[in-house]
Amino acid sequence: MRLLFLHNNFPGQYARIIRHLAGRKGIDILAVSRAGNRQPSPVRRIDYEPHRSASEKVHPALRYTEEAVIRGQAVYKALAPTRAKGWRPDLMLAHSGFGDGLFLKDLWPDARYMPYLEWYYRAYGSDASFFDRRAKDPNVELRIRMKNSVILQDLAAMDWGQSPTQYQKSQFPGVFHGRMSVLHDGVDTDYFSPDARETFTVGSHVFRHGDPLVTYIARGMEPYRGFPQFIEAVSLLQRMHAGVHAVVIGEDRIAYGPRDKASYKQWALETFRPDLGRLHFLGRQPLAVLRQVLRVSAAHVYLTAPFVLSWSMMEAMATGALIVGSDTEPVREVVDDGRTGLLVPFFEPRRLAERLLEVIAAPERFEDIRRRARALMLERYDRRELCARYVRLIEAVAAGGRPRPNGGASVSESARMPEAAIV
């Protein structure tokens, strides 16, 4: 079986399935990624690079689409020599939304196509209206709607689609749901595992399991992941508890959402004035450091707008960290308040601070929640089981059928499946 994987930052969401498949007998994998991506690849890789950016003269609502078309054109050119040599994939998998997979069906019309459907943009009812529910400027509405042009091309071309969570799938138009599986990338529960002996050092501070340490992990420091609310809550918590410390892992940048401030970190520190002697910014860190921090965390804060769910929250649960998360749709899909974590309103930092104080004041009260959170990751999100289901899904779609429930073997295209049967 020949598989083509496309991701502008390969392996990205395909990291776990690539490791699972790499080197397997009978499977030939080719990856395509942007030339600036320096991540090592365990499989053969072809690079592409767009020849220009979108024109400043194009309609603002079409700029994102033009960039995607230029990117898709670059992928087409990069793969044309491979096609000329006679290589043909059985299944093409591409992260949807950036344009990488736009013209794959033009290269190989008979190959099957399964995009990774991460997000469908809406002006109202999810992330874009979460912070301001008032009617938007019509030009903003146009830009948000037109960002879906590329994704709609993938939806029209796909033989099957994959989305990582039920909430993310629910954002896509219902007409496509019957050809979409919900299948998460999986969590490495062997690596992200509890260890009560773990320690973590920041400067002169050595933290151990049971210490009053609050943790926060995100790619950027931005409103979408509740960074301002977190810093305000930390500032309040520090006044409530003289010994509490907080650790932040992530970069001082905006990864998601409007870029309306140069630095939310600087803004939040100036606005809420936390004690910087007990607030530690570590920047971007390798997985080993994330695991150390999560193992000693008394409470791990995960806040998000109604948007894509972060891997880090589930890795924290697998490590046995106690999630104190936002009561928003993506979090509620995984965290059952009082059973596998604690939920608080996104926009109420004082409630968050009070909940954190409860946890660090009596950590033993929450040990059952920690254990149930890890048990959930083992039961529903362990990478070994999900990779096995992923392989079954790949085989089913590549063979020209439709997947059975739980990623089983394919059934004929003519077979009808109820929506509840889709993985």
Side-chain angles (χ1 to χ4, degrees), residues 227-366:
F227 179 76
Q229 286 78 14
F230 172 73
I231 295 298
E232 183 175 358
V234 166
S235 181
L236 292 168
L237 180 62
Q238 287 176 337
R239 295 171 208 160
M240 299 173 182
H241 191 294
V244 70
H245 285 252
V247 164
V248 176
I249 293 179
E251 297 177 301
D252 183 11
R253 67 185 182 97
I254 297 173
Y256 301 112
R259 287 159 172 76
D260 50 358
K261 291 189 188 301
S263 168
Y264 269 99
K265 176 184 176 182
Q266 193 62 36
W267 175 84
L269 295 181
E270 292 173 358
T271 303
F272 304 117
R273 299 188 177 279
D275 178 357
L276 295 181
R278 293 187 285 148
L279 176 56
H280 312 280
F281 290 93
L282 306 186
R284 188 174 180 177
Q285 293 290 334
L287 290 180
V289 175
L290 267 65
R291 183 176 66 174
Q292 276 185 297
V293 168
L294 292 170
R295 280 175 168 172
V296 300
S297 172
H300 181 70
V301 176
Y302 179 75
L303 308 175
T304 184
F307 189 55
V308 172
L309 187 67
S310 303
W311 294 331
S312 62
M313 187 195 81
M314 301 169 80
E315 291 168 344
M317 294 174 74
T319 312
L322 178 69
I323 297 296
V324 182
S326 57
D327 191 7
T328 48
E329 292 95 326
V331 182
R332 286 199 298 268
E333 183 172 331
V334 180
V335 176
D336 183 1
D337 187 26
R339 285 195 52 79
T340 55
L342 304 174
L343 300 182
V344 295
F346 184 97
F347 293 108
E348 297 186 25
R350 181 165 290 277
R351 288 277 299 277
L352 173 58
E354 291 169 349
R355 206 63 166 126
L356 292 170
L357 182 62
E358 289 179 45
V359 172
I360 62 177
E364 67 281 354
R365 288 177 46 206
F366 302 92

Side-chain angles (χ1 to χ4, degrees), residues 61-82:
L62 289 173
R63 191 161 294 136
Y64 186 88
T65 304
E66 187 184 19
E67 287 182 353
V69 170
I70 294 168
R71 188 191 298 260
Q73 180 186 38
V75 170
Y76 186 103
K77 289 181 177 179
L79 283 171
T82 299

Side-chain angles (χ1 to χ4, degrees), residues 15-53:
R16 293 159 183 79
I17 190 62
I18 288 292
R19 286 198 298 268
H20 187 75
L21 292 174
R24 256 192 201 198
K25 187 176 180 180
I27 297 181
D28 179 17
I29 299 176
L30 174 62
V32 179
S33 191
R34 193 157 181 171
N37 173 19
R38 300 303 178 196
Q39 295 190 65
S41 173
V43 297
R44 183 166 58 104
R45 189 178 116 178
I46 292 175
D47 290 345
Y48 73 88
E49 188 61 37
H51 69 286
R52 67 174 178 87
S53 300

Side-chain angles (χ1 to χ4, degrees), residues 65-182:
T65 304
E66 187 184 19
E67 287 182 353
V69 170
I70 294 168
R71 188 191 298 260
Q73 180 186 38
V75 170
Y76 186 103
K77 289 181 177 179
L79 283 171
T82 299
R83 180 184 64 174
K85 293 176 183 176
W87 194 86
R88 175 194 177 279
D90 297 297
L91 180 65
M92 305 176 292
L93 303 96
H95 184 273
S96 182
F98 297 103
D100 303 63
L102 267 179
F103 307 117
L104 291 180
K105 280 284 192 176
D106 298 286
L107 281 163
W108 291 288
D110 298 326
R112 311 290 287 182
Y113 182 40
M114 186 170 73
Y116 186 101
L117 302 168
E118 187 170 40
W119 192 245
Y120 191 86
Y121 296 94
R122 297 177 180 272
Y124 303 100
S126 60
D127 62 313
S129 60
F130 184 65
F131 297 97
D132 185 352
R133 301 181 189 277
R134 294 175 297 180
K136 298 185 182 302
D137 181 292
N139 290 316
V140 174
E141 293 178 331
L142 290 176
R143 285 198 296 271
I144 291 174
R145 178 171 293 279
M146 292 308 295
K147 284 189 78 171
N148 290 318
S149 298
V150 181
I151 298 166
L152 285 165
Q153 288 288 339
D154 278 341
L155 290 166
M158 73 181 186
D159 297 281
W160 200 262
Q162 174 201 357
S163 194
T165 69
Q166 291 286 352
Y167 176 69
Q168 287 166 249
K169 176 184 175 180
S170 75
Q171 297 303 294
F172 289 83
V175 67
F176 298 107
H177 287 185
R179 289 189 292 133
M180 292 173 63
S181 290
V182 173

